[in-house]
Amino acid sequence: MATQTYGSTSTATAVAPRVNLLPPEIAEQAALRKSQVAMVATGLAAVAVVGVLYLQATAKVSAAEEDKAQAAAANAKLRTELQALDHVKSTYARVDAANKTVATAMAFEVRWSTYLHDLTLTIPENVWLDEVAAEMTVMKQAAAGNTEQVLDGGLGTVTFKGSAFSQDDVASWLESLAKQKGYADPYFTKAEDRMATRVVIDFESTTYLSEKALSNRYAKGLPR
């Protein structure tokens, strides 16, 4: 029962006590059901998570298998293309072998046309030539099976026969030979006077060929 007092600012209210009339067994059963429901919910959540992870793993495995299949197909395609190019490889091998043969055969090439052209431009006045003879000693040595490319006397010799008006002209001729690339140590082997009315000297001179005389055009095979 509530009691009120007039003429005062305070109010007092009485609250009735709450009494649980349910038996304890019922409360325990309710708590147990709540625990069971929570456990079932947790189990279902775990199953859901495992299912999601399984689906993700399955998707990754499928993607990996697809990548593997694509890689195998690409590998098979490349092998087919490589087999189709076997003739190219064999062609390159034959070209390399031919280039080695050419390089060996032309290892001692001297471009005589260039030398003869330079000779016409550098021959001194009062000197003229009747005969030019070249001997590649190194070629004979290679044919004999000796692989040495450089001899003590050079690759070979070039002998010139001609005439001049004086010994000084012969000396000028030897000096012009010494200035030519590929010639070394020019010397004259004989000089004879002839003609009674005017001095004319018949001479014969020889020069060694050095390695600088080689063209080396085919050192790597046929030019490309």
Side-chain angles (χ1 to χ4, degrees):
M1 178 181 294
T3 304
Q4 294 182 353
T5 304
Y6 298 98
S8 174
T9 60
S10 61
T11 302
T13 303
V15 180
R18 300 180 63 183
V19 178
N20 188 1
L21 299 179
L22 294 175
E25 292 80 1
I26 297 176
E28 291 177 357
Q29 291 178 0
L32 179 61
R33 283 195 296 270
K34 288 183 180 180
S35 299
Q36 291 174 344
V37 170
M39 291 177 63
V40 170
T42 303
L44 292 176
V47 171
V49 171
V50 171
V52 171
L53 293 176
Y54 174 78
L55 292 176
Q56 291 178 348
T58 302
K60 290 182 179 179
V61 170
S62 298
E65 290 179 350
E66 184 178 356
D67 293 342
K68 179 182 178 181
Q70 292 178 354
N75 187 33
K77 182 180 179 181
L78 291 175
R79 287 181 178 276
T80 302
E81 294 177 352
L82 185 61
Q83 290 176 356
L85 295 175
D86 281 344
H87 69 283
V88 177
K89 294 168 59 178
S90 61
T91 299
Y92 271 105
R94 290 196 300 269
V95 170
D96 290 341
N99 281 334
K100 290 180 180 179
T101 301
V102 171
T104 301
M106 303 299 291
F108 305 111
E109 183 201 33
V110 177
R111 303 187 70 177
W112 295 110
S113 59
T114 301
Y115 273 93
L116 294 176
H117 177 265
D118 293 342
L119 189 63
T120 61
L121 300 177
T122 59
I123 189 170
E125 295 183 8
N126 302 327
V127 175
W128 61 95
L129 298 177
D130 300 320
E131 182 181 332
V132 179
E135 181 181 14
M136 295 293 290
T137 312
V138 70
M139 297 293 289
K140 295 181 179 180
Q141 188 183 35
N146 194 331
T147 58
E148 293 291 334
Q149 295 187 4
V150 181
L151 303 176
D152 293 339
L155 302 176
T157 58
V158 183
T159 301
F160 303 90
K161 293 182 180 180
S163 303
F165 285 143
S166 68
Q167 295 287 355
D168 290 338
D169 293 331
V170 175
S172 298
W173 159 249
L174 294 178
E175 290 177 359
S176 69
L177 284 181
K179 295 177 181 179
Q180 295 295 315
K181 178 184 177 180
Y183 289 156
D185 302 327
Y187 61 94
F188 71 90
T189 54
K190 69 176 182 177
E192 299 177 351
D193 295 342
R194 67 180 174 86
M195 298 181 65
T197 57
R198 183 172 184 179
V199 176
V200 176
I201 300 175
D202 293 330
F203 67 87
E204 180 177 317
S205 61
T206 301
T207 182
Y208 294 106
L209 283 173
S210 69
E211 285 190 319
K212 294 181 179 179
L214 299 177
S215 68
N216 292 319
R217 289 192 300 167
Y218 302 99
K220 297 182 179 180
L222 291 173
R224 296 182 179 179

